[in-house]
Amino acid sequence: MSLLVDTSVWSLALRRDGSGESREVMALRAALDGADTVVTTGLILQELLQGFSGPKAKDAIVERFGALPLIQPDRQDHIAAAEVRNLCRRNGVQVGTIDALLIQLCRRYELTLLSTDKDFANAAPYVSFELWGA
């Protein structure tokens, strides 16, 4: 399985206080140990860097993410992500712009999304994509 790991899981995994031992964090650790392939995108890297402060945190994140394959959205992904967001909105589900794009990237690259964000679970009945644990 190939995983796209959302910012919510990375944030828990990178916390210093060790409080991030959720099922999702354990799945991320297993994947990083070779159980699955983990990929990322620039948006997730950017969100993480915006959420952690200090040069040590920045350097550690940049170094860790340097080892992961980076997928990049193209024009068609942005068009499809808008359709994902509009479809969800028509069904009463609010999905953010970045979340819609992550869903689209999962669809395009046949990735499983690993996230603790309930917005993805809310979108799943209306949009076809693989959500870990669903």
Side-chain angles (χ1 to χ4, degrees), residues 104-133:
Q104 171 53 28
L105 290 173
C106 286
R107 293 161 47 119
R108 174 179 171 198
Y109 289 99
E110 298 180 356
L111 303 169
T112 299
L113 182 62
L114 178 60
S115 179
T116 62
D117 186 337
K118 300 300 180 215
D119 289 344
F120 294 112
N122 294 337
Y126 306 104
V127 182
S128 177
F129 71 103
E130 291 294 322
L131 182 59
W132 184 88

Side-chain angles (χ1 to χ4, degrees), residues 12-13 15 17-27 29:
L12 288 173
R15 290 177 67 156
D17 63 10
S19 65
E21 286 306 312
S22 67
R23 292 177 342 127
E24 292 84 1
V25 170
M26 289 187 282
R29 291 197 176 147

Side-chain angles (χ1 to χ4, degrees), residues 79-93 95 100:
I79 293 167
E83 293 170 4
V84 164
R85 190 164 188 260
N86 291 339
L87 175 62
C88 287
R89 187 175 52 222
R90 282 193 304 272
N91 285 284
V93 175
V95 175

Side-chain angles (χ1 to χ4, degrees), residues 52-67:
F52 285 84
S53 61
K56 284 185 181 179
K58 175 190 170 235
D59 292 344
I61 291 168
V62 169
E63 181 180 335
R64 285 183 176 146
F65 272 65

